[in-house]
Amino acid sequence: MVRAGRAVTCPRRPALATALLVLLAGCTNSSSPANPTKPRRALDTSAPIEAMPHLRGTTEQRLLGFLQARYGGRARLEGAWQDQWEDTEVDAQRPVTREVCAREPVHRDGRARTLLAVCQRLEDAASVEPGRIDLYALQVGEDARVPKDTSGVEQLMALEVPFRIIAQRLQAQYGQWGAPGTVGIVGLGPQRDAFIITHPWARRGTTRINRSYVAMHGDYLREVASYRDHLDNDGSQDCDAERSVCEDAHYNIDFSTQLGSNEAVDGFWPLIVRGTGQDCAGPFQEYHRLIFDPTLRAYTVPDSLQREGCDTP
């Protein structure tokens, strides 16, 4: 994948003839690769926020144009596509399957935006390798419609309605075996929309499922909370009678999350988390009320909701 380059804009000319020549010639990006058949470099978190080429049409058409500008001509809004991912750690190309795994329009402060997630599953991955997710908040401009009797200059200016990336979080790592888990979009407050990422981890007969929230905060997409959604060791044997280590005892715990509907802090509602099931010592229940901390720019999550086993962080 190529790294996202500088925003490219067409120069405005005062003369109609010059403007039409610019329109016919089109705008080029000097950062485009000389060899279009070469696999595109992987995007990374240093890619700048930019205005994409001036895409016309419906929201669907603009989103597709955005995807193909970022990921190549195979990208699509529905269904998966095959691609190559440049693994910079081993300096090699690897096959990857990409797909849009979450997409939803949101309206905040009188503006229409689209939250978009692109999931990337690495093929032939080891168990410890996470999948990758690219997250975007996009400002979709209005359709560039102009009256039929307008001049060529006005038509050229109408093409300059931007399609802007408000925020992005690229190559976020979740899950294992090269698969990133599942992604959804929820509201975390009156004016706070977030991606919710559910990603499992299994090893040596134990399974844990994590719940992570990535929300718009300021001009950034931030991970504002991450904690357990499930814990069990159903695949391992019970410990011997002579052993009393807690992790070896049987446990199977589910956690449920609800949003508080009042007392929002910095626009974020409380997260009400309840745990029920079998702990090492027997049946158990627990309750947590997670409050957003503006100084941390995240929810305060207790160690017990980040533990590895029965009751150990």
Side-chain angles (χ1 to χ4, degrees), residues 244-280:
S244 60
V245 178
C246 181
E247 299 93 283
D248 294 332
H250 178 259
Y251 57 87
N252 189 317
I253 307 169
D254 285 314
F255 299 91
S256 63
T257 299
Q258 294 179 317
L259 290 174
S261 58
N262 54 22
E263 298 181 15
V265 176
D266 200 12
F268 290 92
W269 287 320
L271 296 174
I272 310 302
V273 183
R274 291 180 172 86
T276 59
Q278 172 75 29
D279 203 344
C280 294

Side-chain angles (χ1 to χ4, degrees), residues 3 12 34 48 51 65 75 80 83 104 113 133 136 144-145 152 159 165 174 214 220 257 266 272 286 290 303 305 311:
R3 299 182 186 275
R12 295 186 180 180
D83 208 339
E104 186 170 321
R113 292 180 178 175
I133 305 176
Y136 301 98
R145 296 190 180 97
L159 289 176
I165 302 173
Y174 297 96
V214 177
Y220 298 92
T257 299
D266 200 12
I272 310 302
E286 65 181 14
L290 311 185
D303 290 341
L305 286 179
D311 64 356

Side-chain angles (χ1 to χ4, degrees), residues 206 233 236-251 279-281 308-312:
T206 64
N233 64 348
S236 64
Q237 296 181 352
D238 292 338
C239 61
D240 298 333
E242 296 148 352
R243 299 171 63 192
S244 60
V245 178
C246 181
E247 299 93 283
D248 294 332
H250 178 259
Y251 57 87
D279 203 344
C280 294
E308 298 294 326
C310 206
D311 64 356
T312 56

Side-chain angles (χ1 to χ4, degrees), residues 135-245:
L135 303 173
Y136 301 98
L138 305 171
Q139 182 75 56
V140 182
E142 297 180 358
D143 291 348
R145 296 190 180 97
V146 294
K148 292 182 180 179
D149 59 352
T150 55
S151 69
V153 171
E154 288 173 321
Q155 291 185 29
L156 176 61
M157 292 172 63
L159 289 176
E160 298 188 6
V161 176
F163 188 84
R164 191 173 302 280
I165 302 173
I166 302 302
Q168 61 187 3
R169 185 181 178 89
L170 305 180
Q171 297 294 310
Q173 301 185 13
Y174 297 96
Q176 67 177 147
W177 295 107
T182 61
V183 185
I185 297 172
V186 298
L188 283 184
Q191 297 291 324
R192 301 294 188 185
D193 298 290
F195 296 95
I196 175 173
I197 304 167
T198 306
H199 44 111
W201 177 268
R203 186 181 182 186
R204 298 179 184 175
T206 64
T207 300
R208 71 173 186 257
I209 300 175
N210 275 15
R211 171 189 295 249
S212 299
Y213 291 100
V214 177
M216 278 293 300
H217 186 252
D219 295 327
Y220 298 92
L221 281 166
R222 305 181 189 277
E223 186 172 275
V224 296
S226 185
Y227 54 89
R228 304 296 183 236
D229 215 41
H230 175 82
L231 286 169
D232 76 64
N233 64 348
D234 290 348
S236 64
Q237 296 181 352
D238 292 338
C239 61
D240 298 333
E242 296 148 352
R243 299 171 63 192
S244 60
V245 178

